[in-house]
Amino acid sequence: MSSIDRSQSVGGTRTYEVRTYGCQMNVHDSERLSGLLEDAGYVRAPEGADGADVVVFNTCAVRENADNKLYGNLGHLAPKKASRPGMQIAVGGCLAQKDRDTIVKRAPWVDVVFGTHNIGKLPVLLERARVQEEAQVEIAESLEAFPSTLPTRRESAYAAWVSISVGCNNTCTFCIVPALRGKEKDRRPGDILAEIEALVAEGVSEITLLGQNVNAYGSDIGDREAFSKLLRACGKIDGLERVRFTSPHPRDFTDDVIAAMAETPNVMPQLHMPLQSGSDPVLKAMRRSYRQERFLGIIEKVRAAIPHAAISTDIIVGFPGETEEDFEQTLHVVREARFAQAFTFQYSKRPGTPAAEMDGQIPKKVVQERYERLVALQEEISWEENKKQVGRTLELMVAEGEGRKDDTTHRLSGRAPDNRLVHFTKPDQEVRPGDVVTVEITYAAPHHLLAEGTVLDVRRTRAGDAWEKRNAAEKAKPAGVMLGLPKIGAPEPLSAVASGCGCD
């Protein structure tokens, strides 16, 4: 079809849209999918456009309603595709890895289905589907090449994900991810550091090390202290101001990692440590390799070494067999740990996991009531912990797009070193995303802080320069030409879903 037949094509070039669901690993994979498509000549559909020539779904399989969400969205696209000759739809990610041929049977208008191990094949599969005029389903059973070797359209000029491993060796009974992502495979440290150095040379000042079980890094290369060594090596990279990582597992959180965090200045005082349950019997049923005492011991050591650390977690409510006493143990850990934030989930039965076949499935009404009690307790603690920040002077990395009311309140937003979100008064001088401001906290809410006084200092940075350069180029060129629209300051390390698919 000609570009005239495709209303959203830009200058005769086919447009694309990637829709992402799930964890940070999927978000980073979507950056690669965008990079692959742009490398193949596609451009990102203009924001607000009514559709694109190629729509890619990067799916998640962790939650129970993942299937319904996907097929509902595919159903909405069916009439649009029928009226738009040449439009293609592709489905990838964990749900595609799991369902395979089922997707095309339930939604025969889908053109391409690809898995978690072969995202690099997307452009070829789209072209093959176009030429052969039939759906292409290709699911690799193991990783073909480490994804970081693929082209990437990064969403931020000043903050970036850096994947250090893929896959997971754990066997948690509630989690389907290892079956879909495969066994853990680590990148060579030299490759990781080379990527970070290249990013810093481009202006990136904050990186988040990413892995399904990030602190197990080294198990595949035979070095138990590889992760702590990697953190320390990051501390030696000139120009790298902030280092974060997600998502660790309590089993692998060793003293050398805590020491590396405390002794490496650019490793931020922030930790996401999945709890899942505070009950020892439930943890055993989950096949979690730690117990309550071990978990609280880690929290105590982190706080002793890094007093201002903000610790967040994941918690599952209503796991099969969970009694009221078990749930009370979870509440006990929440009170003792005093998390800055908790991502709470009602247990979701996933076919193919051992937990789905367990006796003692909890009635929905009971799970809901426990969930509401947990959320109320955590909200109270989050607010109390945030109130302790009032009066502190903090350096914020200025963000873009995090303060939904910033335009009406004449504020800007940024992230503190511990990743707390802070809205601050807009200074008289220009401040760009990626720049650093110093403010005094004046007010605390459960999920954010305010700095309502005058900004104490503004430091223009290379990261701000990079954002400015990219933003100018983005306006000057067609949408999607490997430049990326920067979003928030950090690459959403703790988004609406838990780190590491909520399974770590």
PDB file of all heavy atoms in Angstrom, residues 450-472:
ATOM      1  N   LEU A 450       7.026  17.922  49.472  1.00  0.00           N
ATOM      2  CA  LEU A 450       7.014  19.256  48.891  1.00  0.00           C
ATOM      3  C   LEU A 450       8.194  20.065  49.415  1.00  0.00           C
ATOM      4  O   LEU A 450       8.551  19.953  50.589  1.00  0.00           O
ATOM      5  CB  LEU A 450       5.715  19.995  49.230  1.00  0.00           C
ATOM      6  CG  LEU A 450       4.402  19.491  48.623  1.00  0.00           C
ATOM      7  CD1 LEU A 450       3.252  20.401  49.052  1.00  0.00           C
ATOM      8  CD2 LEU A 450       4.487  19.423  47.114  1.00  0.00           C
ATOM      9  N   ALA A 451       8.761  20.887  48.534  1.00  0.00           N
ATOM     10  CA  ALA A 451       9.760  21.882  48.922  1.00  0.00           C
ATOM     11  C   ALA A 451       9.216  23.220  48.433  1.00  0.00           C
ATOM     12  O   ALA A 451       9.400  23.601  47.269  1.00  0.00           O
ATOM     13  CB  ALA A 451      11.115  21.569  48.291  1.00  0.00           C
ATOM     14  N   GLU A 452       8.506  23.910  49.325  1.00  0.00           N
ATOM     15  CA  GLU A 452       7.741  25.085  48.916  1.00  0.00           C
ATOM     16  C   GLU A 452       8.543  26.379  48.980  1.00  0.00           C
ATOM     17  O   GLU A 452       8.078  27.421  48.533  1.00  0.00           O
ATOM     18  CB  GLU A 452       6.490  25.202  49.802  1.00  0.00           C
ATOM     19  CG  GLU A 452       5.578  23.986  49.677  1.00  0.00           C
ATOM     20  CD  GLU A 452       4.536  23.904  50.782  1.00  0.00           C
ATOM     21  OE1 GLU A 452       4.928  23.795  51.957  1.00  0.00           O
ATOM     22  OE2 GLU A 452       3.340  23.956  50.453  1.00  0.00           O
ATOM     23  N   GLY A 453       9.744  26.316  49.555  1.00  0.00           N
ATOM     24  CA  GLY A 453      10.560  27.518  49.652  1.00  0.00           C
ATOM     25  C   GLY A 453      11.375  27.757  48.391  1.00  0.00           C
ATOM     26  O   GLY A 453      11.240  27.067  47.377  1.00  0.00           O
ATOM     27  N   THR A 454      12.251  28.751  48.477  1.00  0.00           N
ATOM     28  CA  THR A 454      13.132  29.080  47.359  1.00  0.00           C
ATOM     29  C   THR A 454      14.165  27.970  47.158  1.00  0.00           C
ATOM     30  O   THR A 454      14.718  27.440  48.122  1.00  0.00           O
ATOM     31  CB  THR A 454      13.863  30.412  47.632  1.00  0.00           C
ATOM     32  OG1 THR A 454      12.882  31.443  47.855  1.00  0.00           O
ATOM     33  CG2 THR A 454      14.748  30.794  46.466  1.00  0.00           C
ATOM     34  N   VAL A 455      14.399  27.629  45.917  1.00  0.00           N
ATOM     35  CA  VAL A 455      15.429  26.635  45.604  1.00  0.00           C
ATOM     36  C   VAL A 455      16.786  27.174  46.065  1.00  0.00           C
ATOM     37  O   VAL A 455      17.162  28.307  45.758  1.00  0.00           O
ATOM     38  CB  VAL A 455      15.443  26.324  44.097  1.00  0.00           C
ATOM     39  CG1 VAL A 455      16.653  25.478  43.722  1.00  0.00           C
ATOM     40  CG2 VAL A 455      14.156  25.599  43.703  1.00  0.00           C
ATOM     41  N   LEU A 456      17.513  26.370  46.813  1.00  0.00           N
ATOM     42  CA  LEU A 456      18.769  26.827  47.407  1.00  0.00           C
ATOM     43  C   LEU A 456      19.913  26.858  46.408  1.00  0.00           C
ATOM     44  O   LEU A 456      20.822  27.690  46.523  1.00  0.00           O
ATOM     45  CB  LEU A 456      19.130  25.912  48.589  1.00  0.00           C
ATOM     46  CG  LEU A 456      18.067  25.795  49.698  1.00  0.00           C
ATOM     47  CD1 LEU A 456      18.528  24.815  50.769  1.00  0.00           C
ATOM     48  CD2 LEU A 456      17.777  27.157  50.298  1.00  0.00           C
ATOM     49  N   ASP A 457      19.883  25.954  45.428  1.00  0.00           N
ATOM     50  CA  ASP A 457      20.979  25.904  44.457  1.00  0.00           C
ATOM     51  C   ASP A 457      20.515  25.166  43.211  1.00  0.00           C
ATOM     52  O   ASP A 457      19.690  24.245  43.290  1.00  0.00           O
ATOM     53  CB  ASP A 457      22.198  25.191  45.059  1.00  0.00           C
ATOM     54  CG  ASP A 457      23.388  25.199  44.110  1.00  0.00           C
ATOM     55  OD1 ASP A 457      23.847  26.294  43.758  1.00  0.00           O
ATOM     56  OD2 ASP A 457      23.840  24.102  43.700  1.00  0.00           O
ATOM     57  N   VAL A 458      21.029  25.607  42.071  1.00  0.00           N
ATOM     58  CA  VAL A 458      20.770  24.930  40.796  1.00  0.00           C
ATOM     59  C   VAL A 458      22.119  24.585  40.172  1.00  0.00           C
ATOM     60  O   VAL A 458      22.987  25.447  40.033  1.00  0.00           O
ATOM     61  CB  VAL A 458      19.969  25.816  39.834  1.00  0.00           C
ATOM     62  CG1 VAL A 458      19.840  25.131  38.469  1.00  0.00           C
ATOM     63  CG2 VAL A 458      18.596  26.132  40.405  1.00  0.00           C
ATOM     64  N   ARG A 459      22.299  23.310  39.827  1.00  0.00           N
ATOM     65  CA  ARG A 459      23.539  22.874  39.186  1.00  0.00           C
ATOM     66  C   ARG A 459      23.202  22.335  37.794  1.00  0.00           C
ATOM     67  O   ARG A 459      22.539  21.313  37.657  1.00  0.00           O
ATOM     68  CB  ARG A 459      24.235  21.806  40.032  1.00  0.00           C
ATOM     69  CG  ARG A 459      25.488  21.237  39.362  1.00  0.00           C
ATOM     70  CD  ARG A 459      26.364  20.465  40.352  1.00  0.00           C
ATOM     71  NE  ARG A 459      25.678  19.341  40.955  1.00  0.00           N
ATOM     72  CZ  ARG A 459      25.639  18.111  40.444  1.00  0.00           C
ATOM     73  NH1 ARG A 459      26.237  17.856  39.283  1.00  0.00           N
ATOM     74  NH2 ARG A 459      25.009  17.145  41.081  1.00  0.00           N
ATOM     75  N   ARG A 460      23.630  23.071  36.792  1.00  0.00           N
ATOM     76  CA  ARG A 460      23.427  22.605  35.423  1.00  0.00           C
ATOM     77  C   ARG A 460      24.394  21.456  35.152  1.00  0.00           C
ATOM     78  O   ARG A 460      25.561  21.512  35.544  1.00  0.00           O
ATOM     79  CB  ARG A 460      23.628  23.744  34.435  1.00  0.00           C
ATOM     80  CG  ARG A 460      22.540  24.806  34.542  1.00  0.00           C
ATOM     81  CD  ARG A 460      22.861  26.010  33.679  1.00  0.00           C
ATOM     82  NE  ARG A 460      22.765  25.714  32.258  1.00  0.00           N
ATOM     83  CZ  ARG A 460      21.633  25.772  31.552  1.00  0.00           C
ATOM     84  NH1 ARG A 460      20.482  26.058  32.157  1.00  0.00           N
ATOM     85  NH2 ARG A 460      21.630  25.528  30.256  1.00  0.00           N
ATOM     86  N   THR A 461      23.924  20.430  34.483  1.00  0.00           N
ATOM     87  CA  THR A 461      24.704  19.207  34.325  1.00  0.00           C
ATOM     88  C   THR A 461      24.831  18.804  32.858  1.00  0.00           C
ATOM     89  O   THR A 461      24.088  19.273  31.994  1.00  0.00           O
ATOM     90  CB  THR A 461      24.039  18.046  35.084  1.00  0.00           C
ATOM     91  OG1 THR A 461      22.774  17.760  34.466  1.00  0.00           O
ATOM     92  CG2 THR A 461      23.832  18.389  36.559  1.00  0.00           C
ATOM     93  N   ARG A 462      25.742  17.900  32.598  1.00  0.00           N
ATOM     94  CA  ARG A 462      25.862  17.302  31.272  1.00  0.00           C
ATOM     95  C   ARG A 462      24.598  16.542  30.912  1.00  0.00           C
ATOM     96  O   ARG A 462      24.226  16.456  29.737  1.00  0.00           O
ATOM     97  CB  ARG A 462      27.063  16.361  31.224  1.00  0.00           C
ATOM     98  CG  ARG A 462      28.410  17.066  31.291  1.00  0.00           C
ATOM     99  CD  ARG A 462      29.566  16.073  31.404  1.00  0.00           C
ATOM    100  NE  ARG A 462      29.626  15.167  30.263  1.00  0.00           N
ATOM    101  CZ  ARG A 462      29.293  13.885  30.305  1.00  0.00           C
ATOM    102  NH1 ARG A 462      28.857  13.340  31.424  1.00  0.00           N
ATOM    103  NH2 ARG A 462      29.394  13.135  29.232  1.00  0.00           N
ATOM    104  N   ALA A 463      23.931  15.986  31.918  1.00  0.00           N
ATOM    105  CA  ALA A 463      22.669  15.280  31.671  1.00  0.00           C
ATOM    106  C   ALA A 463      21.601  16.256  31.189  1.00  0.00           C
ATOM    107  O   ALA A 463      20.817  15.947  30.279  1.00  0.00           O
ATOM    108  CB  ALA A 463      22.217  14.571  32.944  1.00  0.00           C
ATOM    109  N   GLY A 464      21.569  17.464  31.801  1.00  0.00           N
ATOM    110  CA  GLY A 464      20.635  18.485  31.334  1.00  0.00           C
ATOM    111  C   GLY A 464      20.964  18.940  29.920  1.00  0.00           C
ATOM    112  O   GLY A 464      20.058  19.161  29.099  1.00  0.00           O
ATOM    113  N   ASP A 465      22.257  19.051  29.633  1.00  0.00           N
ATOM    114  CA  ASP A 465      22.679  19.393  28.264  1.00  0.00           C
ATOM    115  C   ASP A 465      22.186  18.330  27.278  1.00  0.00           C
ATOM    116  O   ASP A 465      21.715  18.655  26.179  1.00  0.00           O
ATOM    117  CB  ASP A 465      24.205  19.481  28.178  1.00  0.00           C
ATOM    118  CG  ASP A 465      24.791  20.623  28.997  1.00  0.00           C
ATOM    119  OD1 ASP A 465      24.038  21.549  29.366  1.00  0.00           O
ATOM    120  OD2 ASP A 465      26.007  20.572  29.281  1.00  0.00           O
ATOM    121  N   ALA A 466      22.323  17.058  27.669  1.00  0.00           N
ATOM    122  CA  ALA A 466      21.904  15.959  26.792  1.00  0.00           C
ATOM    123  C   ALA A 466      20.407  16.002  26.552  1.00  0.00           C
ATOM    124  O   ALA A 466      19.935  15.782  25.430  1.00  0.00           O
ATOM    125  CB  ALA A 466      22.312  14.616  27.411  1.00  0.00           C
ATOM    126  N   TRP A 467      19.644  16.289  27.626  1.00  0.00           N
ATOM    127  CA  TRP A 467      18.183  16.392  27.459  1.00  0.00           C
ATOM    128  C   TRP A 467      17.839  17.529  26.519  1.00  0.00           C
ATOM    129  O   TRP A 467      17.004  17.386  25.620  1.00  0.00           O
ATOM    130  CB  TRP A 467      17.507  16.622  28.811  1.00  0.00           C
ATOM    131  CG  TRP A 467      16.022  16.807  28.645  1.00  0.00           C
ATOM    132  CD1 TRP A 467      15.066  15.843  28.615  1.00  0.00           C
ATOM    133  CD2 TRP A 467      15.339  18.043  28.425  1.00  0.00           C
ATOM    134  NE1 TRP A 467      13.822  16.396  28.397  1.00  0.00           N
ATOM    135  CE2 TRP A 467      13.970  17.748  28.272  1.00  0.00           C
ATOM    136  CE3 TRP A 467      15.754  19.372  28.341  1.00  0.00           C
ATOM    137  CZ2 TRP A 467      13.011  18.742  28.052  1.00  0.00           C
ATOM    138  CZ3 TRP A 467      14.792  20.365  28.104  1.00  0.00           C
ATOM    139  CH2 TRP A 467      13.449  20.039  27.969  1.00  0.00           C
ATOM    140  N   GLU A 468      18.488  18.679  26.694  1.00  0.00           N
ATOM    141  CA  GLU A 468      18.212  19.853  25.862  1.00  0.00           C
ATOM    142  C   GLU A 468      18.521  19.555  24.402  1.00  0.00           C
ATOM    143  O   GLU A 468      17.743  19.893  23.493  1.00  0.00           O
ATOM    144  CB  GLU A 468      19.036  21.032  26.364  1.00  0.00           C
ATOM    145  CG  GLU A 468      18.680  22.361  25.729  1.00  0.00           C
ATOM    146  CD  GLU A 468      19.377  23.513  26.416  1.00  0.00           C
ATOM    147  OE1 GLU A 468      20.554  23.360  26.818  1.00  0.00           O
ATOM    148  OE2 GLU A 468      18.752  24.579  26.552  1.00  0.00           O
ATOM    149  N   LYS A 469      19.651  18.915  24.154  1.00  0.00           N
ATOM    150  CA  LYS A 469      20.051  18.583  22.790  1.00  0.00           C
ATOM    151  C   LYS A 469      19.065  17.611  22.162  1.00  0.00           C
ATOM    152  O   LYS A 469      18.642  17.783  21.014  1.00  0.00           O
ATOM    153  CB  LYS A 469      21.454  17.973  22.805  1.00  0.00           C
ATOM    154  CG  LYS A 469      21.990  17.597  21.441  1.00  0.00           C
ATOM    155  CD  LYS A 469      23.398  17.016  21.543  1.00  0.00           C
ATOM    156  CE  LYS A 469      23.935  16.612  20.182  1.00  0.00           C
ATOM    157  NZ  LYS A 469      25.302  16.037  20.277  1.00  0.00           N
ATOM    158  N   ARG A 470      18.675  16.582  22.918  1.00  0.00           N
ATOM    159  CA  ARG A 470      17.730  15.597  22.381  1.00  0.00           C
ATOM    160  C   ARG A 470      16.368  16.224  22.149  1.00  0.00           C
ATOM    161  O   ARG A 470      15.715  15.960  21.134  1.00  0.00           O
ATOM    162  CB  ARG A 470      17.609  14.411  23.337  1.00  0.00           C
ATOM    163  CG  ARG A 470      16.557  13.403  22.883  1.00  0.00           C
ATOM    164  CD  ARG A 470      16.435  12.237  23.834  1.00  0.00           C
ATOM    165  NE  ARG A 470      17.554  11.318  23.688  1.00  0.00           N
ATOM    166  CZ  ARG A 470      17.604  10.118  24.275  1.00  0.00           C
ATOM    167  NH1 ARG A 470      16.610   9.725  25.046  1.00  0.00           N
ATOM    168  NH2 ARG A 470      18.640   9.334  24.105  1.00  0.00           N
ATOM    169  N   ASN A 471      15.931  17.062  23.065  1.00  0.00           N
ATOM    170  CA  ASN A 471      14.620  17.680  22.939  1.00  0.00           C
ATOM    171  C   ASN A 471      14.559  18.561  21.701  1.00  0.00           C
ATOM    172  O   ASN A 471      13.568  18.573  20.965  1.00  0.00           O
ATOM    173  CB  ASN A 471      14.310  18.494  24.196  1.00  0.00           C
ATOM    174  CG  ASN A 471      12.834  18.736  24.376  1.00  0.00           C
ATOM    175  OD1 ASN A 471      12.021  17.829  24.199  1.00  0.00           O
ATOM    176  ND2 ASN A 471      12.479  19.957  24.735  1.00  0.00           N
ATOM    177  N   ALA A 472      15.640  19.320  21.451  1.00  0.00           N
ATOM    178  CA  ALA A 472      15.688  20.173  20.271  1.00  0.00           C
ATOM    179  C   ALA A 472      15.681  19.331  18.997  1.00  0.00           C
ATOM    180  O   ALA A 472      14.992  19.650  18.023  1.00  0.00           O
ATOM    181  CB  ALA A 472      16.934  21.053  20.324  1.00  0.00           C
TER     182      ALA A 472
END
